[in-house]
Amino acid sequence: MITPATDVSTPAASQEGTRAAPLRPDRNMALELVRATEAAAIRAVPFIGRGQKEAADGAAVDAMRAFLTTVEFDGTIVIGEGEKDNAPMLYNGEHVGNGHGQQYDIAVDPIDGTSLTAAGRNNALSVIAVSDHGTMLDASSVFYMDKLVTGPAGVGIVDIRLPIGENIRLLAKALGKPVDEIVVSVLHRPRHEKLIDEIREAGAGTRLMSDGDVAGGINAARHGAPTDMCVGVGGSPEGIVTACAIKALGGHIQGRLWPRDDDEKQRGADAGLRMDGHVYEAEDLVRGNNTLFVATGVTNGELVAGVRREGGYVYTESVVLRSASGTLRRISSEHLVSKWL
């Protein structure tokens, strides 16, 4: 069992006259959230490459939940994990934190890429995203979303309603590079066969992902990353999580819900979601500019390195993206193995 530490920091508040200014997810809380993603990533390590997808997820869930109880906030999970795969859950509506301080919407994925972890492949992450209470779109009733993500160059330029070839040409022009240097990430799924063909016919290259489209979207939006765009149908919860990160990077994200059948389409409509091909912009996915995105690598990837053990130490790498300041910070941590036994 994990024994959570108790060194909790309280988000700072400022005063203007007699009225307190709104609290924001701040650096102190970000560090507390990193402790939760680090714990989830470390606890998943024994299951890397073991083919035990749900066991890995269960260990990560337990570790993340234990550390979230120490954080000074009143969080409600809007985007939980596990429902799609019948895995252990930090469930939608669950309250996390110590119940004091500011209220926040929380999106969690203790392992984004459980299949990657089970297979020992790259790009598995432990993820938490936070925004002001009532600002995250609850798209949990529809499991999939068609997404388009780019960096800042794509803002006001590309549009998910356009053919992929046209978007590639528009982005190439905005970036000042030839089309044949554009690289597009897309999940390697049968549903994307036509999309992959169209990307290549337009003259661009593809980066096919086996899983983990949160990392794919962030890498498409990061300055200097090896990909320029991320497209295709992936998890709708992952779309909300990615939007929190994209806001900090100043990038572009759009999504359209993608119901698998009429029953799911009706569930989405009953939940108040637009099921008519409506395009959700970044501000629809997560309103406002007070978001935090925290991720720790479980396995190695382009965004962060995975957990590694050397002798009596465990090493982790994490990123913190904060929209209020527009920053991406990297946190490299060294943990004594003896404290985790």
Side-chain angles (χ1 to χ4, degrees):
M1 293 293 294
I2 294 172
T3 303
T6 57
D7 54 324
V8 192
S9 300
T10 305
S14 61
Q15 299 285 334
E16 183 178 349
T18 58
R19 187 176 65 182
L23 292 174
R24 299 186 175 195
D26 70 351
R27 300 174 191 85
N28 295 331
M29 190 171 74
L31 186 57
E32 295 300 308
L33 295 175
V34 167
R35 294 167 61 242
T37 56
E38 286 175 344
I42 290 170
R43 287 306 195 203
V45 167
F47 303 98
I48 294 174
R50 304 289 182 173
Q52 299 175 32
K53 174 179 172 180
E54 292 191 6
D57 206 27
V61 166
D62 290 344
M64 181 174 283
R65 180 181 277 118
F67 273 81
L68 281 176
T69 61
T70 72
V71 182
E72 182 87 3
F73 70 169
D74 182 6
T76 301
I77 295 179
V78 176
I79 303 295
E81 68 85 42
E83 294 174 352
K84 180 166 58 181
D85 298 321
N86 194 31
M89 289 189 291
L90 276 157
Y91 58 87
N92 292 352
E94 180 173 353
H95 284 267
V96 294
N98 65 6
H100 301 296
Q102 185 76 356
Q103 293 184 322
Y104 293 115
D105 285 352
I106 312 294
V108 297
D109 200 341
I111 304 180
D112 176 45
T114 51
S115 296
L116 298 175
T117 303
R121 295 176 179 160
N122 287 351
N123 290 318
L125 301 171
S126 178
V127 173
I128 298 174
V130 176
S131 68
D132 291 336
H133 179 62
T135 58
M136 280 188 191
L137 178 71
D138 181 358
S140 58
S141 56
V142 180
F143 291 145
Y144 292 105
M145 179 184 289
D146 186 19
K147 289 165 276 191
L148 168 64
V149 183
T150 74
V155 176
I157 301 296
V158 299
D159 192 295
I160 197 170
R161 288 161 286 216
L162 296 175
I164 185 63
E166 186 171 350
N167 276 326
I168 288 170
R169 288 186 289 273
L170 288 169
L171 184 61
K173 183 177 180 180
L175 290 170
K177 60 197 296 186
V179 167
D180 62 8
E181 291 184 10
I182 295 291
V183 179
V184 182
S185 293
V186 57
L187 284 170
H188 195 193
R189 299 287 188 274
R191 63 178 176 263
H192 289 148
E193 287 180 1
K194 182 179 178 183
L195 176 61
I196 291 167
D197 288 343
E198 291 174 347
I199 292 168
R200 292 170 177 171
E201 287 169 4
T206 56
R207 179 72 60 86
L208 301 183
M209 305 179 293
S210 57
D211 271 299
D213 61 336
V214 171
I218 294 171
N219 282 325
R222 277 197 306 131
H223 173 71
T227 56
D228 305 290
M229 183 186 297
C230 185
V231 297
V233 176
S236 55
E238 287 85 348
I240 309 303
V241 171
T242 303
C244 290
I246 300 307
K247 285 208 162 190
L249 295 168
H252 171 86
I253 182 168
Q254 292 173 305
R256 293 182 292 201
L257 293 169
W258 197 78
R260 294 169 294 179
D261 52 39
D262 289 341
D263 288 342
E264 189 173 54
K265 185 175 182 179
Q266 187 60 53
R267 285 197 299 273
D270 291 344
L273 298 170
R274 295 285 300 273
M275 307 303 300
D276 54 357
H278 174 76
V279 175
Y280 286 90
E281 305 288 345
E283 188 63 15
D284 302 316
L285 299 172
V286 184
R287 298 194 307 278
N289 192 38
N290 299 331
T291 67
L292 280 175
F293 172 92
V294 176
T296 299
V298 177
T299 59
N300 286 330
E302 294 174 356
L303 182 61
V304 284
V307 181
R308 64 184 175 90
R309 176 173 175 174
E310 292 183 4
Y313 297 91
V314 173
Y315 298 89
T316 59
E317 185 178 20
S318 306
V319 290
V320 175
L321 289 87
R322 186 169 179 255
S323 66
S325 55
T327 53
L328 184 155
R329 291 183 171 87
R330 294 189 176 276
I331 299 175
S332 297
S333 302
E334 182 180 290
H335 313 261
L336 281 170
V337 171
S338 60
K339 299 295 184 180
W340 290 88
L341 298 178

